[in-house]
Each structure stands twice: as C-alpha cells, then as structure tokens.
C-alpha cells in the first residue's frame, strides 16, 4: 500500500537511546535512572483519525490503541520504545503518544499508538 502525499501529516518522534544512572551530590549511585532519547526527528505519514475495527485485526489481539500511523518508508526506525508528538509538534513540551505495536509489511509500516498524559 502506498500513501498519498496529500493524506500525510507531519509528526515528530524521538528514539530510545538508553538509560543513565543518576548520582547524588557526592557521586554515589541513587538507584534511579534517566531515560535518554535521540534528538527529535520528523516524519510525514498517514495518521488515522481514530481507532477502527478493521485496523484492530492488523495488530492481532492486543490492548486498545487510539490511532494508526502508516508510512511507506520501510526503513523508518520508530519502535515500541519511541515517543511521539502528533497533536502538538512542539518537542519542548511533553510527548503526547507512545507506540504500542509495530506491524511491518513489504511496502509499508503500521504503528498502533496510544495517547498519554505526561507531566512536564
């Protein structure tokens, strides 16, 4: 399936890089970690308006999701650990979606995403 450029919208995302252990003021380990993400990247993709029954089968039996992103860029590196800005593209503000599931095919990649509320 190919996606038409007129049906695409811009989204921003960051990829999970790893985690770094936090140290206290004396240099001792605290047992807490900071999650590290890559710099923001931009993707133009088809974003569904809402969840639909026909799309549910595409990902099998799984927890609910809010939207589906479809791209014809099969080299797109978004995975289940990525964070997304779909409704608000300001990456200085908290992200608003997370990836629940990835479904790859020969010519496209589909992502089931869920809306989250993250405090700053």
């Amino acid at each position: 399936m190919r996606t038409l450029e007129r049906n695409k919208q811009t989204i921003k995302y960051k990829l999970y890089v790893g985690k770094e252990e936090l140290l206290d003021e004396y240099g001792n380990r605290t047992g807490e970690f900071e999650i590290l993400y890559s710099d923001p990247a931009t993707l133009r993709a088809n974003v569904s308006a809402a969840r639909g029954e026909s799309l549910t089968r595409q990902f099998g039996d799984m927890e609910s999701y809010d939207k589906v992103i479809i791209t014809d860029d099969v080299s797109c590196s978004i995975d289940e650990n990525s964070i997304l800005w779909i409704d608000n593209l300001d990456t200085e503000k908290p992200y608003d979606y997370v990836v629940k599931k990835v479904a790859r095919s020969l010519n496209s990649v589909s992502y089931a995403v869920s809306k989250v509320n993250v405090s700053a």
Side-chain angles (χ1 to χ4, degrees):
M1 177 175 92
R2 293 288 186 189
T3 54
L4 295 174
E5 187 62 34
R6 69 180 179 188
N7 294 334
K8 293 180 181 179
Q9 74 180 60
T10 301
I11 64 170
K12 301 260 181 148
Y13 65 94
K14 288 185 180 181
L15 302 174
Y16 175 79
V17 174
K19 58 184 179 180
E20 181 178 273
E21 189 167 19
L22 298 176
L23 305 176
D24 65 11
E25 64 271 10
Y26 305 108
N28 299 320
R29 296 178 182 178
T30 63
E32 297 177 346
F33 292 88
E34 177 183 6
I35 297 176
L36 304 174
Y37 290 99
S38 66
D39 291 332
T42 302
L43 174 69
R44 299 242 334 130
N46 184 329
V47 179
S48 71
R51 179 179 155 220
E53 181 62 31
S54 63
L55 299 174
T56 303
R57 289 187 222 114
Q58 178 176 356
F59 298 101
D61 293 331
M62 61 169 281
E63 62 273 9
S64 69
Y65 54 91
D66 296 313
K67 293 185 180 192
V68 175
I69 299 171
I70 300 172
T71 180
D72 55 359
D73 179 7
V74 293
S75 65
C76 183
S77 53
I78 294 175
D79 60 16
E80 284 90 352
N81 299 310
S82 302
I83 54 177
L84 308 166
W85 288 261
I86 297 174
D87 297 334
N88 181 2
L89 297 180
D90 183 4
T91 57
E92 296 299 318
K93 294 184 178 176
Y95 57 93
D96 54 0
Y97 285 85
V98 294
V99 178
K100 294 293 230 172
K101 191 83 169 177
V102 179
R104 295 189 181 275
S105 68
L106 185 60
N107 295 320
S108 66
V109 183
S110 299
Y111 302 98
V113 298
S114 289
K115 186 158 183 72
V116 293
N117 291 317
V118 178
S119 58

